[in-house]
């Protein structure tokens, strides 16, 4: 039976009257970690639930804001933390270490995705059959791997995420659909990975959409990408056009049966 979660603290969580989106820090079922749940305070209809998986930096303001934007679009969004003890990196060396820890324990990652999926399905306004997972950078690779494992998600969407895998998606494994948005000038996602992904998805027979943006670099949906790239000498750059186009494609992806 659906339960109405602790959005009863609406005014405290929303910061007062007039707020459009309420948010709440939550613990995932079964002690599987934590996250932040977002929902429009005027929501009164059944809609999609969306799991948001962060970049290698961790569950920071950027990841939270992407989930907040999804809530403004009318979905129920859950930004999930895949790192331990709320770890958030401010330097690439820490981000790399945190990411390596998560990648070393894929079973724990899957447990957290499944716990997030369970929590979303328990929400009053979430359609059980319309729970998606969206990931950015590191998170993009995570959600693709969930599809390859056959997780019962309605779909996964990867934005400037790694595309390579040691276990390609097999035909009949994943019943959902897949959206991938990548930059052609992203050295972290070379053309060989893109070509291999197209072949993989075609062979698996899944509903697959690829957005490949000429001249666009890594992190193109993150407005702070230029600043981070310059500070740490990384090939990062925000691209407003690619961000807008891919955001529109994501909404269509979620809304189209």
């Amino acid at each position: 039976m659906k339960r109405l979660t602790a959005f009863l603290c609406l005014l405290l969580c929303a910061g007062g009257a007039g707020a459009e989106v309420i948010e709440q820090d939550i613990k995932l079922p079964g002690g599987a970690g934590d996250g932040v749940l977002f929902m429009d305070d005027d929501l009164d209809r059944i809609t999609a639930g969306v799991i948001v998986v962060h970049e290698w930096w961790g569950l920071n303001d950027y990841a939270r804001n992407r989930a907040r934007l999804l809530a403004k679009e009318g979905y129920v969004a859950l930004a999930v933390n895949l790192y331990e003890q709320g770890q958030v990196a401010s330097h690439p060396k820490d981000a790399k270490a945190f990411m390596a820890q998560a990648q070393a324990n894929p079973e724990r990652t899957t447990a957290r995705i499944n716990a997030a999926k369970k929590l979303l399905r328990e929400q009053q306004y979430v359609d059980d059959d319309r729970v998606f997972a969206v990931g950015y950078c590191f998170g993009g690779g995570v959600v693709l791997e969930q599809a390859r494992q056959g997780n019962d998600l309605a779909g996964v969407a990867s934005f400037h995420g790694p595309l390579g895998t040691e276990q390609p998606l097999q035909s009949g494994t994943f019943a959902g659909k897949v959206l991938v948005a990548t930059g052609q000038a992203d050295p972290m996602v070379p053309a060989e990975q893109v070509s291999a992904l197209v072949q993989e998805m075609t062979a698996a027979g899944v509903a697959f959409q690829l957005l490949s943006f000429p001249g666009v670099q890594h992190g193109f949906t993150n407005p702070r990408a230029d600043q981070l790239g310059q500070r740490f000498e990384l090939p990062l750059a925000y691209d407003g056009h690619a961000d807008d186009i891919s955001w529109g494609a994501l909404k269509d992806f979620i809304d189209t049966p």
Side-chain angles (χ1 to χ4, degrees):
M1 180 177 181
K2 295 279 188 180
R3 64 180 174 87
L4 185 61
T5 59
F7 280 121
L8 297 175
C9 63
L10 177 111
L11 293 180
L12 290 176
C13 298
E20 294 181 356
V21 172
I22 52 178
E23 62 185 83
Q24 183 184 9
D25 293 338
I26 53 90
K27 295 294 183 182
L28 296 175
D34 53 29
V36 189
L37 193 62
F38 296 82
M39 188 175 73
D40 191 298
D41 62 0
D42 290 329
L43 188 63
D44 61 357
R45 60 182 175 82
I46 302 300
T47 187
V50 186
I51 302 166
V52 176
V53 187
H54 52 76
E55 298 178 297
W56 73 337
W57 305 106
L59 183 50
N60 57 12
D61 289 343
Y62 168 74
R64 290 168 180 257
N65 189 53
R66 300 309 283 197
R68 186 177 295 111
L69 290 172
L70 285 163
K72 287 182 178 180
E73 297 291 349
Y75 313 119
V76 178
L78 172 56
V80 63
N81 185 2
L82 296 188
Y83 292 167
E84 295 305 302
Q85 300 174 346
Q87 292 170 321
V88 175
S90 57
H91 192 282
K93 68 177 182 180
D94 295 323
K96 185 176 181 180
F98 297 159
M99 181 176 68
Q101 290 172 3
Q103 291 174 331
N105 196 336
E107 293 81 9
R108 183 174 60 198
T109 293
T110 296
R112 292 188 176 186
I113 296 294
N114 286 338
K117 181 177 60 179
K118 180 177 185 295
L119 189 145
L120 279 174
R121 284 176 171 164
E122 291 174 345
Q123 303 311 304
Q124 182 181 21
Y125 296 113
V126 172
D127 183 343
D128 290 356
D129 296 324
R130 295 179 62 217
V131 175
F132 296 80
V134 178
Y136 298 86
C137 183
F138 156 75
V142 167
V143 301
L144 280 177
E145 287 304 310
Q146 292 302 306
R148 288 162 173 145
Q149 294 173 24
N151 201 318
D152 63 333
L153 294 157
V156 302
S158 171
F159 293 81
H160 43 85
L163 307 179
T165 185
E166 296 180 356
Q167 297 181 322
L169 179 62
Q170 301 300 307
S171 178
T173 300
F174 184 57
K177 52 187 180 178
V178 177
L179 169 67
V180 169
T182 190
Q184 291 183 13
D186 184 350
M188 301 182 192
V189 187
E192 293 78 9
Q193 281 192 13
V194 179
S195 297
L197 181 77
V198 172
Q199 295 176 11
E200 174 190 359
M201 295 296 151
T202 301
V206 298
F208 172 59
Q209 181 180 3
L210 173 68
L211 302 176
S212 183
F213 297 102
V216 171
Q217 298 186 53
H218 194 74
F220 60 82
T221 66
N222 190 338
R224 293 188 64 233
D226 296 88
Q227 176 186 345
L228 293 168
Q230 292 170 10
R231 180 180 178 186
F232 299 115
E233 298 183 345
L234 294 171
L236 307 176
Y238 176 69
D239 189 289
H241 176 72
D243 187 16
D244 289 344
I245 295 298
S246 60
W247 183 256
L250 176 61
K251 291 188 292 183
D252 289 343
F253 179 77
I254 295 172
D255 291 339
T256 304

